[in-house]
Amino acid sequence: MSGDLWERCLPSLQSEFPAQQYNTWIRPLSADESQDSVVVLLAPNRFVRDWVNDKFLSRIRQVVSDVSGDISIDVRVDIAAISAGASQGRRMPPRPRPTSPPPVSAYVEPAQTEYEQAPPIPRKEVSTHSAPVAVIPAPQLELDVGVSEPGRTIDVNVEGGLRHQSNLNRAFTFESFVQGKSNQLALAAAQQVADNPGGAYNPLFIYGGVGLGKTHLMHAVGMEMLRQNPNAHIVYLHSERFVADMVKALQLNAINDFKRYYRSVDALLIDDIQFFAGKERSQEEFFHTFNALLEGGQQMILTSDRYPKEINGVEERLKSRFGWGLTVAVEPPELETRAAIVMKKAAEAKIVLPDDAAFFLAQKIRSNVRELEGALKRVIANAHFTGNAITTPFIKESLKDLLALQDKQVSIDNIQRVVAEYYKIKISDLLSKRRSRSVARPRQVAMSISKELTNHSLPEIGNAFGGRDHTTVLHACRKIKELRESEPDIREDYQNLLRHLTA
Ligand SMILES: Nc1ncnc2c1ncn2[C@@H]1O[C@H](COP(=O)(O)OP(=O)(O)OP(=O)(O)O)[C@@H](O)[C@H]1O
């Protein structure tokens, strides 16, 4: 075999599956093409293998046979990854805590961030090693982790006078996290890690856009680990804090203390890892910390605003390590999830919020959950000052300026108008059942742009185009992506329209 068959199949698979699915399931596979007439696809763990076998194998077979005739496909777990997993799972004998305080404070305020069903992650599936987190002389919890006090962080006192701060935010728990299709897989993976830290999903890499719950999930794992084992030594920090601590340690000639400190944790949670970009010395230090923690069976959870391989300015060896465990995406939540989040946040604030008011807010604020939460807080504050009940008209009045701004942003209506004008057809044609090429193609373009420029979900877009099914929208997006690569005219039309709509 030529040895690059799998490489040649990847572009088709990439264009076929939504990015989240491709990145989570297909991209981590590597191929062993050393045998004749069989390609062995190596999955980083059993979880990925089983899911690929179940959901993607038949399509992969088709694509491979289109490219290279009759070749059989076998999906196996990468043995190297398994042994890494086994060594990760093997708890190390108790390691001494650093006896002197770390050179600098590790304190940081916590950051206030397709329609395939996510796989049911069997809880405890990989618990071949039973020891939980505590391997280090027990630190004492200063605060009772069982009591939820939103906004409060949890401090941990370690013996020997070392004050260690986990910085976990009590408000960010699994209970307060609302599950939806957009975060189902990430949530399931996080729960699995919390139940089985240092297991096969190490590191857990969570990526996705701003304000979508990555930090919340990360803290929820830490909180759950602490609930299961109050002696666990868990550190959450933003990557910029890691960099700042390292710089200070270098200045104070205390890099060994820094190393010992970060390597003595049971779980290290680092947020927004993309901030390591361009910081070579920090990357070098983190690389060694990463290896030490992985070898010691200590759990790492990392978040980023993009898929590991797409983080520019970060060394390849680090990027490839980020993908050794499990990489999961959080997507913008669909309308129902946004409404459920608003309801949950209102209930947490002990506010009565009628369903229609929650849906109104969720419909209007689509950009991300943080903004949604911010809008709700404004409404609550307003209601508090004026003594009014929160109703849809009250929300409209309270958020007048914000909603006016939202309306200026690109809407599906606007996209339909601009696309219809561009192709010299009527808006009603875009919404009609007509299938002639002169109407169907602009309709597909408009759907694809709606997916790209708005936060609407596929069903919402389908609905706005004459009540079509979400699979029609999905098909349109894939078709247009394909045509933009193969047909210069479509590429140019698409670019012109994007430019016009975002000017
Ligand atoms: N599914 C959810 N359920 C409940 N709250 C959520 C959910 N998703 C996000 N939030 C809330 O939205 C806010 C922003 O979330 P978070 O800080 O975790 O986002 P993030 O993805 O880490 O963003 P960034 O990339 O900017 O750091 C938090 O208050 C969080 O509690």
Side-chain angles (χ1 to χ4, degrees):
M1 235 181 296
S2 64
D4 64 352
L5 172 58
W6 180 240
E7 287 295 316
R8 285 186 284 134
C9 294
L10 285 177
S12 312
L13 293 165
Q14 184 168 14
S15 64
E16 200 157 312
F17 294 111
Q20 183 190 359
Q21 286 183 18
Y22 176 79
N23 285 338
T24 308
W25 308 113
I26 311 287
R27 206 162 163 175
L29 302 173
S30 56
D32 175 355
E33 300 178 23
S34 56
Q35 300 168 49
D36 279 341
S37 67
V38 59
V39 174
V40 179
L41 294 178
L42 297 168
N45 52 51
R46 280 192 288 152
F47 181 52
V48 173
R49 178 201 61 191
D50 294 347
W51 191 248
V52 168
N53 268 325
D54 201 26
K55 300 284 170 194
F56 300 107
L57 194 56
S58 58
R59 192 57 205 136
I60 288 177
R61 281 205 173 109
Q62 249 171 333
V63 170
V64 171
S65 78
D66 287 351
V67 173
S68 192
D70 203 12
I71 301 259
S72 63
I73 303 285
D74 194 6
V75 188
R76 294 185 202 155
V77 176
D78 190 344
I79 303 296
I82 279 253
S83 22
S87 78
Q88 288 166 40
R90 175 172 44 79
R91 304 303 315 186
M92 300 291 277
R95 282 161 289 123
R97 288 269 192 217
T99 49
S100 57
V104 283
S105 157
Y107 178 76
V108 63
E109 283 294 335
Q112 294 290 311
T113 139
E114 223 116 0
Y115 286 90
E116 193 77 63
Q117 281 277 310
I121 298 187
R123 313 228 356 187
K124 308 261 185 208
E125 181 214 14
V126 289
S127 54
T128 47
H129 40 281
S130 54
V133 190
V135 293
I136 300 174
Q140 278 181 352
L141 264 187
E142 225 184 17
L143 304 171
D144 175 13
V145 283
V147 182
S148 172
E149 289 175 28
R152 288 292 299 273
T153 58
I154 292 174
D155 299 348
V156 178
N157 256 337
V158 178
E159 78 291 346
L162 172 61
R163 184 171 180 77
H164 171 72
Q165 288 178 295
S166 78
N167 312 314
L168 288 176
N169 187 329
R170 290 162 179 275
F172 290 170
T173 60
F174 286 131
E175 289 71 39
S176 61
F177 191 82
V178 175
Q179 177 173 353
K181 279 191 181 130
S182 54
N183 58 37
Q184 202 171 22
L185 174 64
L187 174 61
Q191 284 169 331
Q192 173 75 18
V193 166
D195 283 349
N196 187 22
Y201 308 147
N202 198 12
L204 174 64
F205 193 100
I206 307 172
Y207 74 98
V210 167
L212 298 182
K214 303 183 294 294
T215 305
H216 187 137
L217 268 184
M218 192 184 221
H219 281 255
V221 177
M223 289 294 294
E224 178 58 20
M225 284 167 73
L226 271 185
R227 199 189 60 77
Q228 293 187 23
N229 184 348
N231 292 330
H233 187 183
I234 295 162
V235 169
Y236 162 86
L237 74 162
H238 193 270
S239 58
E240 284 182 321
R241 169 61 61 175
F242 185 91
V243 173
D245 280 2
M246 196 210 61
V247 169
K248 210 157 179 189
L250 286 171
Q251 282 168 353
L252 298 174
N253 211 9
I255 196 71
N256 286 336
D257 288 344
F258 172 89
K259 286 182 207 260
R260 271 192 299 137
Y261 183 74
Y262 280 109
R263 290 173 200 186
S264 67
V265 299
D266 293 311
L268 185 61
L269 282 41
I270 302 200
D271 220 349
D272 292 326
I273 205 87
Q274 72 274 8
F275 284 106
F276 276 160
K279 302 184 176 91
E280 281 153 31
R281 182 67 175 87
S282 304
Q283 288 180 33
E284 169 84 21
E285 206 44 66
F286 183 66
F287 176 75
H288 295 301
T289 303
F290 185 102
N291 291 341
L293 292 178
L294 206 64
E295 198 167 306
Q298 295 136 284
Q299 181 68 44
M300 270 172 292
I301 307 179
L302 309 171
T303 71
S304 165
D305 64 351
R306 65 205 77 172
Y307 187 75
K309 295 234 162 81
E310 281 156 12
I311 308 176
N312 293 329
V314 168
E315 289 176 43
E316 283 306 320
R317 60 179 184 166
L318 254 186
K319 288 199 242 184
S320 82
R321 274 167 176 73
F322 291 162
W324 275 5
L326 185 62
T327 302
V328 286
V330 281
E331 302 267 298
E334 58 288 358
L335 174 66
E336 293 77 6
T337 311
R338 292 200 301 275
I341 292 173
V342 172
M343 289 175 192
K344 182 119 194 161
K345 302 278 177 195
E348 280 169 3
K350 301 193 172 32
I351 294 296
V352 179
L353 183 70
D355 289 0
D356 67 306
F359 267 91
F360 176 77
L361 254 185
Q363 252 157 4
K364 290 292 171 187
I365 317 281
R366 298 185 305 260
S367 43
N368 67 56
V369 182
R370 187 177 293 119
E371 303 227 331
L372 191 57
E373 209 179 337
L376 177 68
K377 279 185 183 154
R378 255 180 75 180
V379 172
I380 292 175
N382 225 340
H384 187 70
F385 291 132
T386 58
N388 284 320
I390 301 180
T391 57
T392 303
F394 180 76
I395 295 177
K396 278 185 190 160
E397 182 55 32
S398 303
L399 301 179
K400 228 174 4 196
D401 50 345
L402 186 70
L403 297 179
L405 203 74
Q406 291 282 334
D407 288 344
K408 274 201 209 141
Q409 287 172 1
V410 190
S411 64
I412 297 182
D413 287 350
N414 201 15
I415 292 171
Q416 289 172 340
R417 189 179 51 74
V418 171
V419 171
E421 267 171 26
Y422 186 87
Y423 286 107
K424 305 204 176 352
I425 57 172
K426 297 195 203 97
I427 294 180
S428 58
D429 287 334
L430 289 176
L431 313 189
S432 73
K433 303 271 176 251
R434 285 184 54 199
R435 287 166 175 234
S436 64
R437 173 69 64 90
S438 62
V439 170
R441 194 64 84 224
R443 186 185 296 130
Q444 288 178 324
V445 167
M447 285 179 177
S448 178
I449 291 181
S450 300
K451 183 78 191 102
E452 183 164 343
L453 292 188
T454 75
N455 290 318
H456 287 292
S457 65
L458 297 180
E460 285 169 349
I461 296 172
N463 223 9
F465 280 82
R468 290 180 154 78
D469 192 72
H470 76 264
T471 52
T472 310
V473 184
L474 187 59
H475 173 74
C477 296
R478 288 180 184 158
K479 185 77 198 165
I480 295 302
K481 185 164 183 250
E482 199 182 292
L483 291 176
R484 283 168 63 199
E485 273 156 27
S486 59
E487 292 195 17
D489 285 356
I490 298 272
R491 185 162 53 237
E492 201 184 319
D493 288 351
Y494 199 89
Q495 276 164 356
N496 287 341
L497 285 162
L498 279 191
R499 213 173 301 122
H500 187 91
L501 281 158
T502 54

